[in-house]
């Protein structure tokens, strides 16, 4: 997400880039932990405040933007389909497959060969089963059994961990039409594959392609949710290319699909969250608030949830809290925003984002010490690789508000020293009229260089590292990048099956994976280019705001100097503030001496010891900030 917190016009936040915030629906994989640390009461005084005991949780949302923007072509007409096999016993597990006992009596030699391949599959001899199925598929004499052999090959590849290769086989079966014998069962395998891959976006196109098919009843709700995600991502892509009318139709379709998911279903909360995002996009704050509050209500901790479902519910709940805070911030209801930001527990995937955005709300209501304390956490070595350029701008503004002009100017200079090279690097990249694949190749090369540097014990190039962090802060792009890496690992994984080496099957699978990789790279390239251009524009705005702060600072210093001259040097610019080290009963005062401890993160308060004689200076020209832009 572009974390653009401009010092100008206020706007309702739109979650149009990810994941988040575009968020979206990944980043749900990190279960919270709760180590606890308590420090003894010190006898010295200082300028930081922390709770007496701090509980820390630690932890760490997927679609592609390069989708076909045309309306998906309807598949052939519905036909009656055979009943699908039983569902898997739990999410992410392979389906139970049953076979008849191997009895070759009274059967043709062709059927015996297929039964022998099935027997190998049952025994777990997947390499042997895959080779046998491949031979049957490509034997002209076995044409009547070709489809069944391909279905067996798709299942075998799944069991071998070759999920993208398996998807390729089932996609070919589905392309034969709804009257195909294994059509319904192949639809089910799409769900099984989506539960195993790093994200579900790899099957969204297939789900949309067969939207009018007769989906298995027990997967109807998951189908509606995945199709809603497809239309939501499609709507965002249309928004990006300024096709607002078509985008509005996609978002309306998203709401229609999410409305079909019952409250008792495990996908209800995620569907309701999607609905809320569409209302945010349409700037309908009341309906967006109600949707997000409903997410919070239905994701309360419950003992009857499985561990996997509890993790998803908890992560979706945090995403809803973030959106509630942003909606209130956009409406200038800053204390409501702080309430919801505070609901994100320390160490969770969205905690740093919430901590940073809450700093702007603290600043708006004059809680400068808390805002600066939050920025101390963001500057800690634990988060050195995180990307929050606006943090320095906010810090400079707070010092400006308190007439600490020298410090404000120094902070802006530090911002320019750190991020002007990043802007220049982005400018060089975006000026090149490269193909989409070349745009992604740039990011892939940065990743490769960073991995090599880490392996050799060298420090990665900081500027290139920041460019990469910028690009992958878009959750859609990150998910697509993860899928590309997963696909490349599958290609490398073929080496772990020596019996397949130098076989026609292996060469065919490699060709299929390379074609899928090319398509994913094309999508990732388009997203990377859009994201880097967006971040370049954000940095341009921040650099301009920095120049504005320096201009305003110089103007104020000139005014105070003139007043001092007129007063014969007796005019004071700043004075010492009165402050106390007293804290609440459930807190103790702990001096900050430049050391960072994990159990202290998020608890700092920076004490301003001096500033303007009039605490509220009225420097309104640089004191506003736009709403946090959803990630």
């Amino acid at each position: 997400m572009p974390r653009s917190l401009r010092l100008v016009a206020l706007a309702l936040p739109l979650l149009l880039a990810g994941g988040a915030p575009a968020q979206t629906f990944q980043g749900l994989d990190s279960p919270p932990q709760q180590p606890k640390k308590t420090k003894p009461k010190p006898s010295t005084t200082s300028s930081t405040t922390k709770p007496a005991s701090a509980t820390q949780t630690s932890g760490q949302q997927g679609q592609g933007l390069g989708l076909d923007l045309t309306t998906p072509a309807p598949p052939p007409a519905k036909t009656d389909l055979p009943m699908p096999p039983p569902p898997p016993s739990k999410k992410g597990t392979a389906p139970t497959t049953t076979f008849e006992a191997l009895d070759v009596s009274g059967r043709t030699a062709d059927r015996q060969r297929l039964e022998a391949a099935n027997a190998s599959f049952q025994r777990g001899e997947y390499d042997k089963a895959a080779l046998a199925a491949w031979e049957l598929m490509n034997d002209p004499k076995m044409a009547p059994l070709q489809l069944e052999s391909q279905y067996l090959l798709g299942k075998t590849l799944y069991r071998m961990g070759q999920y993208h290769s398996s998807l390729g086989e089932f996609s070919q079966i589905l392309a034969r039409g709804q009257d195909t014998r294994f059509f319904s069962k192949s639809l089910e395998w799409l769900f099984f594959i989506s539960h195993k891959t790093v994200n579900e976006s790899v099957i969204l196109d297939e789900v949309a392609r067969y939207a009018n098919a007769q989906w298995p009843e027990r997967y109807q709700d998951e189908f509606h949710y995945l199709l809603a995600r497809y239309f939501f991502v499609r709507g965002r892509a249309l928004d990006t290319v300024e096709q607002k009318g078509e985008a509005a139709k996609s978002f309306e379709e998203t709401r229609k699909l999410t409305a079909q998911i019952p409250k008792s279903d495990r996908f209800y909360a995620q569907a309701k969250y999607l609905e809320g995002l569409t209302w945010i996009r349409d700037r309908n704050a009341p309906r967006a608030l109600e949707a997000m509050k409903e997410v919070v209500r239905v994701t309360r901790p419950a003992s009857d949830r499985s561990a996997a479902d509890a993790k998803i519910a908890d992560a979706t709940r945090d995403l809803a809290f973030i959106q509630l805070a942003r909606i209130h911030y956009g409406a200038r209801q800053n204390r409501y925003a702080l309430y919801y930001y505070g609901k994100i527990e320390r160490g969770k995937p969205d905690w740093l984002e919430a901590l940073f955005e809450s700093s702007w709300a603290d600043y708006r209501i004059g809680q400068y010490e808390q805002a600066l304390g939050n920025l101390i956490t963001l500057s800690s070595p634990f988060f050195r690789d995180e990307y929050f350029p606006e943090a320095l701008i906010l810090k400079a503004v707070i010092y400006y508000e308190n007439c600490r002009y020298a410090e404000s100017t120094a902070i802006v200079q530090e911002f320019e020293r750190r991020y002007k090279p990043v802007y220049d690097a982005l400018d060089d990249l975006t000026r090149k009229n490269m193909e989409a694949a070349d745009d992604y190749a740039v990011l892939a090369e940065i990743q490769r260089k960073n991995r090599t540097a880490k392996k050799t014990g060298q420090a990665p190039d900081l500027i290139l590292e920041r460019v990469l962090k910028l690009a992958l802060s878009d959750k859609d792009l990150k998910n697509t990048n993860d899928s590309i890496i997963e696909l490349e690992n599958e290609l490398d994984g073929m080496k772990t099956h020596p019996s397949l080496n130098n076989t026609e099957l292996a060469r065919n699978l490699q060709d299929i994976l390379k074609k899928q990789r090319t398509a994913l790279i094309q999508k990732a390239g388009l997203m990377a280019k859009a994201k880097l251009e967006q971040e370049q524009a954000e940095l341009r705005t921040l650099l301009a705001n920095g120049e504005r702060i320096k201009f305003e600072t110089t103007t104020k210093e000139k005014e105070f100097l003139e007043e001092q001259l007129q007063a014969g040097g007796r005019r004071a610019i700043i004075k010492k503030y009165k402050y106390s080290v007293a804290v609440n009963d459930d807190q103790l005062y702990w001096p900050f001496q430049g050391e960072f401890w994990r159990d202290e993160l998020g608890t700092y308060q920076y004490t301003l010891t001096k500033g303007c004689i009039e605490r509220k200076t009225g420097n309104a020209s640089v004191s506003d900030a736009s709403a946090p832009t959803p990630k």
Side-chain angles (χ1 to χ4, degrees), residues 1-5 21 60 322 326 341 348-360 374-380 382-396 411 414-415 418-419 422 465-466 469-470 473 535 538-539 542 628-629 631:
M1 152 188 119
R3 305 181 185 83
S4 169
L5 298 176
Q60 176 38 44
I322 285 281
R326 288 170 173 166
Y341 282 130
K348 286 191 173 182
D350 295 295
W351 176 61
L352 278 184
E353 192 77 21
L355 191 71
F356 168 68
E357 293 181 10
S358 68
S359 301
W360 282 104
N374 291 347
L375 299 184
I376 291 176
T377 295
L378 293 175
S379 66
S380 74
F382 297 108
F383 309 122
R384 183 179 290 112
D385 293 336
E386 299 297 331
Y387 183 78
F388 291 98
E390 303 99 319
L392 287 174
I393 295 297
L394 173 58
K395 187 176 180 180
I411 293 167
E414 170 62 18
F415 169 80
R418 190 180 301 180
Y419 292 105
V422 178
E465 179 77 6
R466 283 178 178 145
K469 289 285 184 183
L470 271 174
S473 65
E535 290 295 344
E538 297 293 341
L539 272 181
L542 291 175
T629 306
K631 188 175 179 179

Coordinates of all heavy atoms in Angstrom, one line a residue, residues 1-5 21 60 322 326 341 348-360 374-380 382-396 411 414-415 418-419 422 465-466 469-470 473 535 538-539 542 628-629 631:
M1 N 0.8 -1.2 0.0 CA 0.0 0.0 0.0 C 0.9 1.2 0.0 O 1.9 1.2 0.7 CB -0.8 0.0 1.2 CG -1.2 1.4 1.7 SD -2.0 1.4 3.3 CE -0.8 2.4 4.1
P2 N 0.5 2.1 -0.7 CA 1.2 3.4 -0.5 C 0.8 3.9 0.8 O -0.3 4.2 1.0 CB 0.7 4.2 -1.7 CG -0.6 3.7 -2.1 CD -0.6 2.2 -1.7
R3 N 1.8 4.1 1.6 CA 1.4 4.7 2.9 C 1.5 6.2 2.8 O 2.4 6.9 3.4 CB 2.4 4.2 4.0 CG 2.4 2.7 4.1 CD 3.4 2.4 5.2 NE 3.5 0.9 5.2 CZ 4.3 0.3 4.5 NH1 5.1 0.9 3.6 NH2 4.4 -1.0 4.6
S4 N 0.6 6.8 2.0 CA 0.7 8.3 1.7 C -0.1 9.0 2.8 O -1.3 8.9 2.8 CB 0.2 8.5 0.4 OG 0.0 9.9 0.2
L5 N 0.6 9.7 3.7 CA -0.1 10.5 4.7 C 0.3 11.9 4.4 O 1.1 12.5 5.1 CB 0.3 10.1 6.1 CG 0.0 8.6 6.4 CD1 0.5 8.2 7.8 CD2 -1.5 8.4 6.4
P21 N -3.1 -3.7 2.1 CA -3.5 -3.9 2.7 C -4.0 -4.5 1.8 O -4.0 -4.2 1.6 CB -3.8 -3.4 3.7 CG -3.6 -2.7 3.9 CD -3.1 -2.9 3.0
Q60 N 3.2 -12.5 11.5 CA 3.4 -11.8 10.3 C 2.1 -11.5 9.6 O 1.3 -12.3 9.8 CB 4.3 -12.6 9.4 CG 4.6 -12.0 7.9 CD 4.8 -10.6 7.6 OE1 5.5 -9.9 8.3 NE2 4.1 -10.1 6.6
I322 N -8.5 -2.5 11.4 CA -7.7 -1.5 10.6 C -8.6 -0.7 9.8 O -8.5 0.6 9.7 CB -6.7 -2.2 9.8 CG1 -5.5 -2.7 10.6 CG2 -6.2 -1.3 8.7 CD1 -4.5 -1.7 11.0
R326 N -9.5 3.4 9.9 CA -9.2 4.3 8.7 C -10.5 5.0 8.4 O -10.4 6.2 8.0 CB -8.7 3.5 7.6 CG -7.3 3.0 7.7 CD -6.9 2.0 6.7 NE -5.5 1.6 6.7 CZ -4.9 0.6 6.1 NH1 -5.7 -0.2 5.4 NH2 -3.6 0.4 6.3
Y341 N -7.3 1.3 16.2 CA -5.9 1.0 16.0 C -5.4 0.3 17.2 O -4.6 -0.6 17.1 CB -5.1 2.3 15.8 CG -5.2 2.9 14.4 CD1 -5.5 4.3 14.3 CD2 -5.0 2.1 13.3 CE1 -5.6 4.8 13.0 CE2 -5.1 2.7 12.0 CZ -5.4 4.0 11.9 OH -5.5 4.5 10.6
K348 N 1.5 -8.6 15.8 CA 0.7 -9.1 14.7 C 1.1 -8.5 13.4 O 1.7 -7.5 13.3 CB -0.8 -8.9 15.0 CG -1.3 -9.8 16.1 CD -2.8 -9.8 16.2 CE -3.4 -10.8 17.2 NZ -4.8 -10.9 17.2
P349 N 0.7 -9.2 12.3 CA 1.1 -8.7 11.0 C 0.8 -7.2 10.7 O 1.6 -6.5 10.0 CB 0.4 -9.6 10.0 CG 0.1 -10.9 10.8 CD -0.1 -10.4 12.2
D350 N -0.3 -6.7 11.2 CA -0.7 -5.3 10.9 C -0.4 -4.4 12.0 O -0.8 -3.2 11.9 CB -2.2 -5.3 10.6 CG -2.6 -6.0 9.3 OD1 -2.2 -5.6 8.2 OD2 -3.3 -7.1 9.4
W351 N 0.4 -4.8 13.0 CA 0.6 -4.0 14.2 C 1.4 -2.7 13.8 O 1.1 -1.6 14.2 CB 1.3 -4.8 15.3 CG 1.7 -4.0 16.4 CD1 0.8 -3.3 17.3 CD2 3.0 -3.7 16.9 NE1 1.5 -2.6 18.2 CE2 2.9 -2.8 18.1 CE3 4.3 -4.1 16.5 CZ2 4.0 -2.4 18.8 CZ3 5.4 -3.6 17.2 CH2 5.2 -2.8 18.4
L352 N 2.5 -2.9 13.0 CA 3.3 -1.8 12.7 C 2.6 -0.7 11.9 O 2.7 0.5 12.1 CB 4.6 -2.2 11.9 CG 5.8 -2.7 12.7 CD1 6.9 -3.0 11.8 CD2 6.2 -1.8 13.8
E353 N 1.8 -1.2 10.9 CA 1.0 -0.3 10.1 C 0.0 0.5 11.0 O -0.2 1.7 10.9 CB 0.2 -1.1 9.1 CG -0.5 -0.3 8.0 CD 0.5 0.2 7.0 OE1 1.6 -0.3 6.8 OE2 0.2 1.2 6.3
A354 N -0.6 -0.2 12.0 CA -1.6 0.4 12.9 C -0.9 1.4 13.8 O -1.4 2.5 14.1 CB -2.3 -0.6 13.7
L355 N 0.3 1.0 14.3 CA 1.1 1.9 15.1 C 1.5 3.2 14.4 O 1.3 4.3 15.0 CB 2.4 1.2 15.6 CG 3.1 1.9 16.7 CD1 2.4 1.8 18.0 CD2 4.5 1.2 16.9
F356 N 1.9 3.1 13.2 CA 2.3 4.3 12.4 C 1.1 5.1 12.1 O 1.1 6.4 12.3 CB 2.9 3.9 11.1 CG 3.1 5.0 10.1 CD1 3.9 6.0 10.4 CD2 2.3 5.0 9.0 CE1 4.1 7.1 9.5 CE2 2.4 6.1 8.1 CZ 3.3 7.1 8.4
E357 N 0.0 4.5 11.6 CA -1.2 5.4 11.3 C -1.8 6.0 12.6 O -2.3 7.1 12.5 CB -2.2 4.5 10.6 CG -1.8 4.0 9.2 CD -2.8 3.2 8.5 OE1 -3.9 3.1 9.0 OE2 -2.5 2.6 7.4
S358 N -1.7 5.3 13.7 CA -2.2 5.9 14.9 C -1.4 7.1 15.3 O -1.9 8.0 16.0 CB -2.3 4.9 16.0 OG -0.9 4.5 16.4
S359 N -0.2 7.2 14.9 CA 0.7 8.4 15.2 C 0.1 9.6 14.6 O 0.2 10.7 15.2 CB 2.1 8.1 14.7 OG 2.7 7.0 15.3
W360 N -0.5 9.5 13.4 CA -1.1 10.7 12.8 C -2.4 11.1 13.6 O -2.6 12.3 13.7 CB -1.5 10.4 11.3 CG -0.3 10.4 10.4 CD1 0.3 9.4 9.8 CD2 0.3 11.6 9.9 NE1 1.3 9.8 9.0 CE2 1.3 11.2 9.0 CE3 0.1 13.0 10.1 CZ2 2.2 12.1 8.4 CZ3 0.9 13.9 9.4 CH2 2.0 13.4 8.6
N374 N 5.7 6.4 19.3 CA 5.4 5.4 18.3 C 6.5 5.4 17.2 O 7.0 4.3 16.7 CB 4.1 5.6 17.6 CG 2.9 5.4 18.6 OD1 3.1 4.8 19.7 ND2 1.8 5.8 18.2
L375 N 7.0 6.6 16.9 CA 8.0 6.7 15.8 C 9.4 6.1 16.3 O 10.2 5.6 15.5 CB 8.2 8.1 15.4 CG 7.0 8.8 14.8 CD1 7.3 10.2 14.3 CD2 6.4 7.9 13.7
I376 N 9.6 6.2 17.6 CA 10.8 5.5 18.2 C 10.8 4.0 17.9 O 11.8 3.4 17.5 CB 11.0 5.8 19.7 CG1 11.3 7.3 19.9 CG2 12.0 4.9 20.3 CD1 11.4 7.7 21.4
T377 N 9.6 3.4 18.1 CA 9.4 2.0 17.9 C 9.7 1.7 16.4 O 10.4 0.7 16.1 CB 8.0 1.5 18.2 OG1 7.8 1.7 19.7 CG2 7.8 0.1 17.8
L378 N 9.2 2.5 15.5 CA 9.4 2.2 14.1 C 10.8 2.4 13.6 O 11.2 1.7 12.7 CB 8.5 3.2 13.3 CG 7.0 3.1 13.4 CD1 6.3 4.2 12.6 CD2 6.6 1.7 12.8
S379 N 11.6 3.2 14.4 CA 13.0 3.4 14.0 C 13.9 2.4 14.7 O 15.1 2.4 14.5 CB 13.4 4.8 14.4 OG 13.4 5.0 15.8
S380 N 13.4 1.4 15.4 CA 14.2 0.5 16.2 C 14.9 -0.5 15.2 O 14.4 -0.7 14.1 CB 13.4 -0.3 17.2 OG 12.5 -1.3 16.5
F382 N 14.9 -3.6 15.1 CA 14.0 -4.7 14.8 C 13.2 -4.5 13.5 O 12.9 -5.5 12.9 CB 13.0 -5.0 16.0 CG 13.7 -5.3 17.3 CD1 13.7 -4.4 18.3 CD2 14.3 -6.5 17.4 CE1 14.3 -4.7 19.5 CE2 14.9 -6.9 18.6 CZ 14.9 -6.0 19.7
F383 N 13.0 -3.3 13.2 CA 12.2 -3.0 12.0 C 13.0 -2.2 10.9 O 12.5 -1.3 10.2 CB 10.9 -2.2 12.4 CG 10.2 -2.9 13.5 CD1 9.9 -2.2 14.7 CD2 9.8 -4.2 13.4 CE1 9.3 -2.8 15.7 CE2 9.1 -4.8 14.4 CZ 8.8 -4.1 15.6
R384 N 14.3 -2.4 10.9 CA 15.2 -1.7 10.0 C 14.7 -1.8 8.5 O 14.9 -0.9 7.7 CB 16.6 -2.1 10.2 CG 17.6 -1.4 9.3 CD 19.0 -1.8 9.6 NE 19.5 -1.5 10.9 CZ 19.8 -2.3 11.8 NH1 19.6 -3.6 11.6 NH2 20.2 -1.9 13.0
D385 N 14.2 -3.0 8.2 CA 13.8 -3.3 6.8 C 12.4 -2.8 6.4 O 12.0 -2.9 5.3 CB 13.9 -4.8 6.5 CG 15.4 -5.3 6.6 OD1 16.3 -4.5 6.4 OD2 15.6 -6.5 6.8
E386 N 11.7 -2.3 7.4 CA 10.4 -1.8 7.1 C 10.4 -0.5 6.4 O 11.4 0.3 6.5 CB 9.5 -1.7 8.3 CG 9.3 -3.1 9.1 CD 8.6 -4.1 8.2 OE1 7.8 -3.7 7.4 OE2 8.8 -5.3 8.4
Y387 N 9.4 -0.1 5.6 CA 9.4 1.0 4.8 C 8.3 2.0 5.3 O 7.1 1.8 5.0 CB 9.1 0.7 3.4 CG 9.2 1.8 2.4 CD1 10.4 2.4 2.0 CD2 8.0 2.4 1.9 CE1 10.4 3.4 1.1 CE2 8.0 3.4 1.0 CZ 9.2 3.9 0.6 OH 9.3 5.0 -0.3
F388 N 8.7 3.0 6.0 CA 7.8 4.1 6.5 C 8.4 5.5 6.3 O 8.8 6.1 7.3 CB 7.5 3.9 8.0 CG 6.7 2.7 8.3 CD1 7.2 1.5 8.7 CD2 5.3 2.7 8.1 CE1 6.5 0.4 9.0 CE2 4.5 1.6 8.4 CZ 5.1 0.4 8.8
P389 N 8.6 5.9 5.1 CA 9.2 7.2 4.8 C 8.4 8.4 5.5 O 9.0 9.4 5.9 CB 9.2 7.3 3.3 CG 8.2 6.4 2.8 CD 8.1 5.3 3.8
E390 N 7.1 8.2 5.5 CA 6.3 9.3 6.1 C 6.6 9.6 7.6 O 6.3 10.6 8.1 CB 4.8 9.0 6.0 CG 4.3 8.8 4.5 CD 4.2 7.3 4.3 OE1 5.1 6.5 4.7 OE2 3.3 6.9 3.6
A391 N 7.2 8.6 8.2 CA 7.5 8.7 9.7 C 8.4 9.9 9.9 O 8.2 10.7 10.9 CB 8.1 7.4 10.2
L392 N 9.4 10.1 9.1 CA 10.3 11.3 9.3 C 9.6 12.6 9.0 O 9.9 13.6 9.6 CB 11.5 11.1 8.3 CG 12.5 10.0 8.8 CD1 13.6 9.9 7.7 CD2 13.2 10.4 10.1
I393 N 8.7 12.6 8.0 CA 7.9 13.8 7.7 C 7.0 14.2 8.9 O 7.0 15.3 9.3 CB 7.1 13.6 6.5 CG1 8.0 13.4 5.2 CG2 6.1 14.8 6.3 CD1 8.8 14.6 4.9
L394 N 6.4 13.2 9.5 CA 5.5 13.4 10.7 C 6.4 13.9 11.8 O 6.0 14.9 12.5 CB 4.8 12.1 11.1 CG 4.0 12.2 12.4 CD1 3.0 13.3 12.4 CD2 3.4 10.8 12.7
K395 N 7.5 13.4 12.0 CA 8.4 13.8 13.1 C 8.8 15.3 12.9 O 8.9 16.1 13.8 CB 9.7 12.9 13.2 CG 10.6 13.1 14.3 CD 11.7 12.1 14.4 CE 12.6 12.4 15.5 NZ 13.7 11.4 15.6
A396 N 9.2 15.6 11.7 CA 9.6 17.0 11.3 C 8.4 18.0 11.6 O 8.6 19.1 12.1 CB 10.0 17.1 9.9
I411 N 15.7 16.9 10.5 CA 15.0 15.7 10.2 C 14.6 15.6 8.7 O 14.7 14.6 8.1 CB 13.7 15.7 11.1 CG1 14.1 15.5 12.5 CG2 12.8 14.5 10.7 CD1 13.0 15.7 13.5
E414 N 17.6 14.6 6.8 CA 17.8 13.1 6.9 C 16.8 12.4 6.0 O 17.2 11.4 5.4 CB 17.6 12.7 8.4 CG 17.5 11.2 8.6 CD 18.8 10.5 8.3 OE1 19.9 11.2 8.2 OE2 18.8 9.3 8.1
F415 N 15.6 12.8 5.9 CA 14.6 12.2 5.0 C 15.1 12.3 3.6 O 15.1 11.3 2.8 CB 13.3 12.9 5.1 CG 12.3 12.5 4.1 CD1 11.6 11.3 4.2 CD2 12.1 13.3 3.0 CE1 10.7 10.9 3.2 CE2 11.2 12.9 2.0 CZ 10.5 11.7 2.1
R418 N 18.0 9.9 2.9 CA 17.7 8.5 2.9 C 16.8 8.1 1.7 O 17.0 7.0 1.1 CB 17.0 8.1 4.2 CG 16.7 6.7 4.4 CD 16.0 6.4 5.7 NE 16.7 6.9 6.9 CZ 16.3 6.8 8.1 NH1 15.1 6.2 8.4 NH2 17.0 7.3 9.1
Y419 N 15.9 9.0 1.3 CA 14.9 8.6 0.3 C 15.1 9.2 -1.1 O 14.4 8.8 -2.0 CB 13.5 8.8 0.8 CG 13.2 7.9 2.0 CD1 13.2 8.4 3.3 CD2 13.0 6.6 1.8 CE1 12.9 7.5 4.4 CE2 12.7 5.7 2.9 CZ 12.7 6.2 4.1 OH 12.4 5.4 5.2
V422 N 16.3 6.7 -3.4 CA 15.3 5.7 -3.8 C 14.4 6.3 -4.8 O 14.0 5.6 -5.8 CB 14.5 5.3 -2.5 CG1 13.3 4.4 -2.9 CG2 15.3 4.7 -1.4
E465 N 17.2 -2.7 -2.1 CA 16.4 -3.4 -1.1 C 15.1 -2.6 -0.8 O 14.0 -3.2 -0.7 CB 17.2 -3.6 0.2 CG 16.5 -4.2 1.4 CD 16.3 -5.7 1.2 OE1 17.0 -6.3 0.3 OE2 15.6 -6.4 2.0
R466 N 15.2 -1.3 -0.7 CA 14.1 -0.5 -0.5 C 13.1 -0.5 -1.7 O 11.9 -0.5 -1.5 CB 14.5 0.9 -0.1 CG 15.0 1.1 1.3 CD 15.5 2.4 1.6 NE 15.9 2.5 3.0 CZ 16.9 3.2 3.5 NH1 17.6 4.0 2.6 NH2 17.3 3.2 4.7
K469 N 11.3 -3.7 -1.4 CA 10.3 -3.6 -0.3 C 9.1 -2.8 -0.8 O 8.0 -3.2 -0.5 CB 10.9 -3.0 0.9 CG 11.9 -3.9 1.6 CD 11.3 -5.0 2.4 CE 12.2 -5.8 3.2 NZ 11.6 -6.9 3.9
L470 N 9.4 -1.8 -1.5 CA 8.3 -1.0 -2.0 C 7.3 -1.8 -2.9 O 6.1 -1.8 -2.8 CB 8.8 0.2 -2.9 CG 9.2 1.5 -2.2 CD1 9.9 2.4 -3.2 CD2 8.0 2.1 -1.6
S473 N 5.3 -4.5 -1.1 CA 4.4 -4.0 -0.1 C 3.0 -4.1 -0.7 O 2.0 -4.1 0.0 CB 4.7 -2.6 0.3 OG 4.5 -1.7 -0.8
E535 N 4.4 4.4 -6.1 CA 5.3 4.8 -5.0 C 6.2 5.9 -5.4 O 6.6 6.8 -4.5 CB 6.2 3.6 -4.6 CG 5.4 2.4 -4.0 CD 4.9 2.9 -2.6 OE1 5.3 3.9 -2.1 OE2 4.0 2.2 -2.1
E538 N 4.2 8.9 -4.7 CA 4.1 9.2 -3.3 C 5.4 9.8 -2.8 O 5.3 10.8 -2.0 CB 3.8 7.9 -2.6 CG 2.5 7.2 -2.9 CD 1.3 8.0 -2.5 OE1 1.5 8.8 -1.6 OE2 0.2 7.7 -3.0
L539 N 6.5 9.3 -3.2 CA 7.8 9.9 -2.7 C 8.0 11.3 -3.2 O 8.5 12.2 -2.5 CB 9.0 9.0 -3.2 CG 9.4 7.9 -2.3 CD1 10.6 7.1 -2.8 CD2 9.7 8.4 -0.9
L542 N 6.1 13.4 -0.9 CA 6.7 13.6 0.4 C 7.9 14.5 0.3 O 8.2 15.3 1.2 CB 7.1 12.2 0.9 CG 6.0 11.3 1.3 CD1 6.5 9.9 1.7 CD2 5.2 11.9 2.5
P628 N -4.7 7.9 6.3 CA -3.9 6.8 5.9 C -4.4 6.1 4.7 O -5.6 5.7 4.7 CB -3.8 5.9 7.1 CG -4.2 6.8 8.3 CD -5.2 7.8 7.7
T629 N -3.6 5.9 3.7 CA -4.1 5.1 2.5 C -4.0 3.6 2.8 O -3.0 3.2 3.2 CB -3.2 5.5 1.3 OG1 -3.2 6.9 1.1 CG2 -3.8 4.8 0.0
K631 N -3.4 -0.3 2.6 CA -2.3 -1.0 1.9 C -2.9 -2.1 1.1 O -3.8 -2.7 1.4 CB -1.4 -1.5 2.9 CG -0.1 -2.1 2.4 CD 0.8 -2.5 3.5 CE 2.1 -3.1 3.0 NZ 3.0 -3.5 4.0

